[in-house]
């Protein structure tokens, strides 16, 4: 009998609910913010040298929270320049939140925003159809490579759009994270429906080396409190389980044996650590900065 399990992406509202809860319960954005504060100034140190306009492309920009922090660092480094920031994001809901964030923010003079409601692949296809190759001084792809069909091809395409002093910044889950352990073991049991592929920072060096690209790697420590996942019937716990497995209503639709195995795995040292009676999932991130 076919499993009733369905991809979480089949229900966009529940996906966004679970994603917001993940951001609330994890140090995801905090650890990215620390990177933006500490390391990003060095990464962008030469991207705008001698330029009056700096072109920035955000691929999968989401609701713009990290984008605006990145832009503030670029503006601080190149105070006289105009920044042309284009955003590729397939979710109308996320774009509208991004626009609200921009409308409420101060200090955005000199920054021009353009949004494209499309996937990375749709952007590439449109540019190819229009025979356009716009070059960029800084491209970033934060937590979005899971949603492309061909990861190496996507990286190659966006890398080909870099100016001579530019950088391509990629952030995704670390090869040392609980995600890596959980997905390597059980990913094939989850209903991905080709909408989502499992890739971590451990997979990228091989791809980049074979393409002959130069890059730097950074590890960002992060965790997520998943204690509520172990309380039967806890609504938040069920949402987090959906997010961890990319499965709609995992707690209710997963075969009992799979559910039991996943719950056991989530408690183990490869995925999480137990502290003060709470379970903290290892949500470490990997950052890859690729040279032109």
């Amino acid at each position: 009998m076919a499993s009733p399990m369905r991809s979480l992406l089949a229900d966009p509202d529940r996906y966004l609910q679970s994603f917001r809860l993940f951001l609330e319960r994890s140090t995801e954005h905090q650890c990215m913010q620390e990177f933006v504060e500490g390391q990003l100034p060095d990464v962008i140190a030469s991207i705008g040298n001698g330029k009056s306009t700096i072109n920035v492309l955000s691929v999968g920009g989401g609701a713009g929270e990290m984008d605006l922090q990145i832009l503030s660092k670029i503006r601080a480094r190149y105070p006289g320049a105009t920044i042309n920031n284009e955003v590729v994001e397939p979710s109308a809901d996320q774009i509208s939140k991004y626009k609200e964030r921009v409308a409420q923010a101060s200090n955005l003079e000199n920054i021009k925003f353009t949004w494209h409601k499309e996937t990375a692949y749709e952007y590439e296809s449109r540019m190819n159809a229009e025979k356009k190759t716009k070059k960029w001084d800084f491209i970033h792809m934060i937590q979005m490579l899971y949603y492309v069909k061909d990861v190496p091809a996507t990286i190659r395409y966006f890398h080909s759009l870099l100016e001579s002093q530019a950088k391509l910044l990629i952030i995704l889950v670390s090869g040392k994270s609980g995600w890596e352990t959980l997905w390597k073991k059980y990913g094939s049991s989850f209903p991905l429906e080709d909408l989502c592929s499992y890739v971590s920072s451990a997979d990228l060096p091989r791809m980049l080396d074979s393409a002959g690209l130069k890059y730097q790697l950074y590890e960002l420590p992060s965790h997520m409190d998943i204690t509520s996942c172990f309380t039967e019937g806890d609504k938040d716990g069920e949402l987090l389980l959906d997010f961890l497995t990319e499965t709609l209503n995992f707690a209710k639709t997963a075969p009992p044996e799979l559910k039991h195995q996943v719950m056991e795995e989530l408690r183990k040292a490869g995925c999480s650590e137990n502290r003060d009676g709470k379970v903290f999932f290892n949500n470490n991130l990997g950052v890859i900065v690729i040279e032109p």
Side-chain angles (χ1 to χ4, degrees):
M1 189 181 91
S3 160
M5 289 167 73
R6 291 171 64 216
S7 167
L8 178 57
L9 293 164
D11 183 338
D13 288 342
R14 188 163 171 94
Y15 173 80
L16 275 175
Q17 251 185 304
S18 69
F19 176 61
R20 288 191 191 120
L21 184 63
F22 157 71
L23 289 180
E24 213 176 280
R25 295 287 170 88
S26 72
T27 58
E28 171 96 351
H29 275 174
Q30 293 90 311
C31 79
M32 288 189 206
Q33 282 159 1
E34 284 167 21
F35 175 82
V36 167
E37 289 299 323
Q39 278 102 359
L40 189 69
D42 288 342
V43 171
I44 60 170
S46 63
I47 63 167
N49 284 354
K51 298 195 167 191
S52 56
T53 302
I54 297 171
N55 293 312
V56 179
L57 181 63
S58 164
V59 187
E65 186 176 349
M66 293 314 304
D67 284 23
L68 295 192
Q69 295 186 32
I70 288 169
L71 290 169
S72 79
K73 287 290 173 238
I74 296 174
R75 218 184 62 150
R77 176 69 183 79
Y78 303 100
T82 300
I83 299 171
N84 168 39
N85 184 66
E86 294 197 27
V87 182
V88 173
E89 168 55 54
S91 161
D93 179 75
Q94 293 288 78
I95 288 177
S96 95
K97 289 202 165 40
Y98 197 142
K99 288 180 175 174
E100 278 168 35
R101 193 165 257 132
V102 167
Q104 289 159 8
S106 54
N107 305 339
L108 294 180
E109 61 277 3
N110 295 358
I111 304 179
K112 180 170 159 280
F113 290 87
T114 311
W115 288 271
H116 304 284
K117 186 188 169 300
E118 57 194 354
T119 64
Y121 180 71
E122 286 163 351
Y123 174 85
E124 181 181 347
S125 303
R126 177 169 64 83
M127 286 296 164
N128 288 339
E130 294 171 8
K131 298 196 166 36
K132 283 185 184 165
T133 46
K134 182 165 182 176
K135 294 281 187 173
W136 302 90
D137 300 302
F138 189 63
I139 301 176
H140 57 89
M141 310 164 86
I142 298 176
Q143 294 289 46
M144 59 68 65
L145 278 177
Y146 323 110
Y147 306 104
V148 304
K149 282 274 196 297
D150 186 335
V151 174
T154 300
I155 293 174
R156 276 198 307 274
Y157 171 71
F158 285 101
H159 179 265
S160 75
L161 307 182
L162 293 179
E163 290 279 16
S164 61
Q165 297 286 312
K167 295 283 195 295
L168 168 59
L169 173 99
I170 294 172
I171 301 182
L172 72 175
V173 298
S174 163
K176 298 180 177 128
S177 68
W179 296 100
E180 177 84 345
T181 309
L182 184 68
W183 283 76
K184 283 282 184 281
K185 240 182 184 176
Y186 297 105
S188 59
S189 305
F190 302 149
L192 291 183
E193 296 176 4
D194 288 341
L195 282 169
C196 177
S197 61
Y198 184 73
V199 59
S200 78
S201 67
D203 301 308
L204 261 59
R206 183 176 34 83
M207 297 176 191
L208 300 175
D209 291 342
S210 70
L213 300 179
K214 280 176 30 183
Y215 56 91
Q216 287 168 298
L217 286 170
Y218 304 81
E219 182 84 5
L220 310 186
S222 173
H223 61 260
M224 164 169 59
D225 184 347
I226 60 167
T227 314
S228 59
C229 292
F230 301 96
T231 306
E232 196 67 42
D234 184 293
K235 291 279 181 284
D236 283 352
E238 291 184 354
L239 268 176
L240 286 176
L241 272 176
D242 284 12
F243 192 77
L244 284 162
T245 60
E246 287 279 338
T247 302
L248 188 59
N249 295 313
F250 177 82
K252 295 186 174 75
T253 63
E257 184 52 30
L258 176 65
K259 184 182 170 186
H260 173 73
Q261 288 173 352
V262 167
M263 300 308 289
E264 288 286 298
E265 195 65 45
L266 284 172
R267 282 189 185 278
K268 288 182 188 167
C271 277
S272 305
E273 68 167 325
N274 294 278
R275 281 202 313 268
D276 307 323
K278 294 189 162 183
V279 185
F280 291 97
F281 183 76
N282 178 333
N283 184 57
N284 283 12
L285 300 179
V287 178
I288 298 95
V289 177
I290 308 174
E291 308 285 332

